[in-house]
Amino acid sequence: MHRRHLLIGGASLFALTGCASAGALETGMTGPTAASLSTADEARIARAVLPTTAPRAELLQPWTGPYEGVPPWDKVTAPKMREAILEGIELQRADIAAIANNPDAPTFANTLVAMELVGEPLDRAMNVFSVMTSNIGGEQWDVLETELSPILSAASDEITFNEKLFQRIKAVADGAGAKGLNARQASIAQDRREAAFIRTPILSTGSNKPVAEGLNAQQTRLAERSRDSFIRNGAALDAAGKAELGRINTDLSNAFTGFGQKVVADENTWTVIANEAGVKGLPASNKAAAAAAARSRNVQGWAIVNTRSSVDPFLTFADDRALREQVWKKFVKRGDNNDANDTKATIARIVALRQQRARLLGFANHAEWRMQDTMAKTPAAAMELMQRVWVPAKARVAEEVADMKAIAGFDIEPWDYLYFAEKVRKAKYDLDQNELKPYFELHAVRAASFYMAERLYGFVFKQLPKGTVSTFEPDVTTYEVTDKATGKLIGLYYADDFARPGKRSGAWMTTYRSFSQLTGSKPILASNNNNFVKAEDGQPLLISLDDAETLFHEFGHALHYFSSVVTYPSFGNTPRDFVEYPSQVHEHWVLSRPILDGYMKHVETGQPMPQALVDKIEASQTFNQGYATVSYLSSALVDMDLHTQAVPPTDIAAFEKASLDRLGMPREMVMRHRLPQFNHLFTSDAYSAGYYSYLWSETMDADTWAYFEESGDVFNPDIAGRFKSIMLAPGNTTDRGDAYRQFRGRNPDVAALLKVRGFPVS
């Protein structure tokens, strides 16, 4: 969901230039303190440390064109990208060597700020590379990713394992801590850090001894978080430990790449339906999309592509039960067909490597290691919240199944659930999803999201003519983002809406360039990526209410980044279990009356959604929440179960079944993401032992929406302004739990979450 940011270090292959001392501007306790320096002075000191070697590769050059430079998509090829990344690694190596070998005493500016600026050419190339592998894909990009993944992993470890660099960072952080704590507090804090993370003694000698240089709170936070991150990632290991950790990380990188490529290959399949009887029951828009998908793949009839946006509507509306079973089985068996694309052995390798790494770093399991820098802090805290919701969710599923069985007259199978749930919805609430789709035309939904952004935060989105800026695919649409009150340029927004072979499934947000005062406050470049199936030429592309909420969700991520006002780039990234909060809360505005009246108009009549239909939706809002909650939460619980095992499982199929049996998973449904296709967990470490984060974030999002509703105005400008300034703009500059308490006046109330889902609050 977020751009890759790699800091790569080690010895330099280049002659260093521009490494003169900057001591005249920052001299510890005998001159200006770090806190008294301006951001411009910090940047000047930091850049004086770094080499000035100009990159040779075309894709490493500073971006040019409008908006202070945009990605040169029209110049991107796989061979050029390979050249750029390999050279970029060497340039970044030179940056790291310059910081680590600086003869001057370590200071915040010449060490921590310099680290924030390391490897800018490589960062630009990697942002482009991640888009090409995720949004375009194909054999040439798969081959390149397979080649580069272990190289990038090994190079990344170089920065963590650079002893001189770590000692400089530790000296600044320890000095900040020594100034901010009394002696006893400092001793206790250090003992805890060492007990948790440090396996071998760290000796500070010479110019790297701790110094109290007068850091402000934000600088102290950056220094201490950097030090602790280095320790968590192996900087305090001995030489043998570092070598072993490097091997593990490289093996993991290879496994992540292989897993993702296998899942994409299984998703690049489809089910052909030869006769119109097979698509009976589908809304006209879904039939048209399936017909278009068949034509684009040179097959006769209709094609149900093996991605959720195509499969779920078929399972909801198609009358042919045997075809529903066929489509469902193909979808849930992605990565689990005992063929070349089977992922189970890859998963077993990943969880074994993760456990080896956790033990090497002094943790009982992968979950404990991963959760050190989260709001929840421990697996137990995450499990406590999940179990509180799991019990009522399972009880609700039993009620839903009973209602469906009464209509079906037979036992409900997983491929029946969505179909008969829709029948129950219509019977209970006189609500047919087919009634809703004509109100959710893709372009109107996007325009509505822009209206929300303007009302809440004063962001104005203006579509740019094709060709104004280069895009990585002709279907991508671009928008200029400005501040309504001042006219100031905020950034550029890229919308990539359509599925294509090679593109990974799902929906996500990416930033090509984030905001940072340190790097010059350039316009933010952000994108949203979806997988809608194109409508036939001239026909409106109608999406479901769920799709509309997903679009608002991903747009919420973009709004988070467009709102960012941070000094140091590192603070643009927030804890994993906070990251989904700004996105999830924005889903609520889809059905707000101003949005409905202005944008969600019937595609044929032009009339806004009548209140009677809105009332039906609202009356049914808690309908099928058993299914929605159990589907998601089973995935999160199995994730945590998998990553807290003392002995990692080798038989992944058996483990998944046993874990679900322990939970008492209802037989009528499956996990939203079965392990063999769980990209969140096995294409990187990002969401591993962290899929619970959606529920953790939803607790805050439900409580925040209640705040807006209780005010009597869901666009309340005071609350919106405080939400933007306290929760969105600062990034991770301050503890996010403290920030929420400042915003709401208290901790989030889990009762709001239970109420939204229609579960008992006691």
Side-chain angles (χ1 to χ4, degrees), residues 574-646:
T574 52
R576 174 55 58 201
D577 44 11
F578 179 88
V579 125
E580 298 298 337
Y581 164 46
S583 56
Q584 289 178 192
V585 74
H586 287 95
E587 296 176 28
H588 294 281
W589 273 277
V590 171
L591 291 177
S592 65
R593 197 67 248 181
I595 293 280
L596 294 172
D597 290 339
Y599 298 91
M600 306 311 189
K601 297 181 179 181
H602 196 284
V603 71
E604 294 177 0
T605 68
Q607 296 299 307
M609 186 180 290
Q611 189 58 43
L613 184 54
V614 177
D615 292 343
K616 289 182 184 180
I617 296 172
E618 291 180 345
S620 68
Q621 285 283 35
T622 59
F623 173 75
N624 223 32
Q625 278 298 315
Y627 173 87
T629 306
V630 168
S631 172
Y632 155 73
L633 203 48
S634 57
S635 298
L637 286 162
V638 171
D639 165 34
M640 195 62 73
D641 189 12
L642 179 67
H643 288 113
T644 51
Q645 294 294 310

Side-chain angles (χ1 to χ4, degrees), residues 35-321:
S36 69
L37 293 175
S38 69
T39 301
D41 283 340
E42 286 185 334
R44 187 163 58 252
I45 294 168
R47 291 199 185 278
V49 174
L50 301 176
T52 58
T53 307
R56 301 182 306 273
E58 184 175 18
L59 297 184
L60 290 179
Q61 303 306 314
W63 294 342
T64 59
Y67 306 99
E68 298 188 49
V70 293
W73 303 112
D74 55 331
K75 299 177 181 177
V76 177
T77 66
K80 287 182 181 179
M81 183 58 68
R82 180 182 186 277
E83 175 191 14
I85 290 176
L86 293 177
E87 183 190 347
I89 290 172
E90 299 303 333
L91 290 173
Q92 192 155 6
R93 232 179 229 134
D95 286 352
I96 292 297
I99 299 170
N101 298 327
N102 186 358
D104 291 344
T107 64
F108 180 78
N110 73 18
T111 302
L112 272 302
V113 178
M115 286 291 294
E116 293 290 292
L117 301 175
V118 157
E120 291 175 322
L122 180 60
D123 194 34
R124 288 192 293 269
M126 289 304 301
N127 285 333
V128 173
F129 182 54
S130 67
V131 172
M132 300 309 292
T133 55
S134 297
N135 297 58
I136 301 298
E139 183 178 359
Q140 63 174 339
W141 292 106
D142 287 350
V143 168
L144 183 59
E145 188 175 31
T146 300
E147 176 192 357
L148 292 180
S149 290
I151 296 172
L152 288 163
S153 176
S156 181
D157 284 337
E158 288 181 23
I159 189 171
T160 304
F161 299 161
N162 187 312
E163 181 67 16
K164 290 182 179 179
L165 177 67
F166 173 53
Q167 291 295 343
R168 291 182 68 87
I169 292 170
K170 185 176 183 297
V172 177
D174 289 354
K179 187 172 179 63
L181 302 174
N182 63 41
R184 175 169 172 74
Q185 288 172 319
S187 175
I188 292 172
Q190 182 68 11
D191 287 347
R192 286 176 176 170
R193 282 193 296 272
E194 292 180 354
F197 305 125
I198 299 178
R199 297 172 58 85
T200 55
I202 298 175
L203 303 176
S204 283
T205 59
S207 64
N208 286 341
K209 65 182 180 180
V211 292
E213 58 167 313
L215 305 188
N216 62 32
Q218 188 174 151
Q219 292 167 333
T220 298
R221 180 173 174 82
L222 180 63
E224 293 183 341
R225 284 176 57 81
S226 297
R227 173 199 60 203
D228 294 348
S229 176
F230 264 70
I231 295 172
R232 276 197 306 274
N233 286 286
L237 296 175
D238 60 20
K242 288 176 180 177
E244 175 66 3
L245 182 56
R247 179 196 64 78
I248 291 170
N249 288 340
T250 297
D251 287 352
L252 277 170
S253 179
N254 287 328
F256 294 154
T257 299
F259 180 92
Q261 291 176 357
K262 289 177 179 181
V263 174
V264 168
D266 263 9
E267 289 173 342
N268 192 25
T269 58
W270 54 87
T271 301
V272 176
I273 300 174
N275 301 313
E276 189 159 5
V279 291
K280 184 181 178 183
L282 284 185
S285 60
N286 291 109
K287 285 177 65 175
R295 282 195 303 275
S296 69
R297 289 161 176 78
N298 297 316
V299 297
Q300 298 296 314
W302 295 262
I304 305 302
V305 183
N306 205 24
T307 60
R308 192 176 302 278
S309 60
S310 183
V311 168
D312 274 3
F314 189 84
L315 296 177
T316 302
F317 298 111
D319 293 333
D320 191 317
R321 191 182 188 210

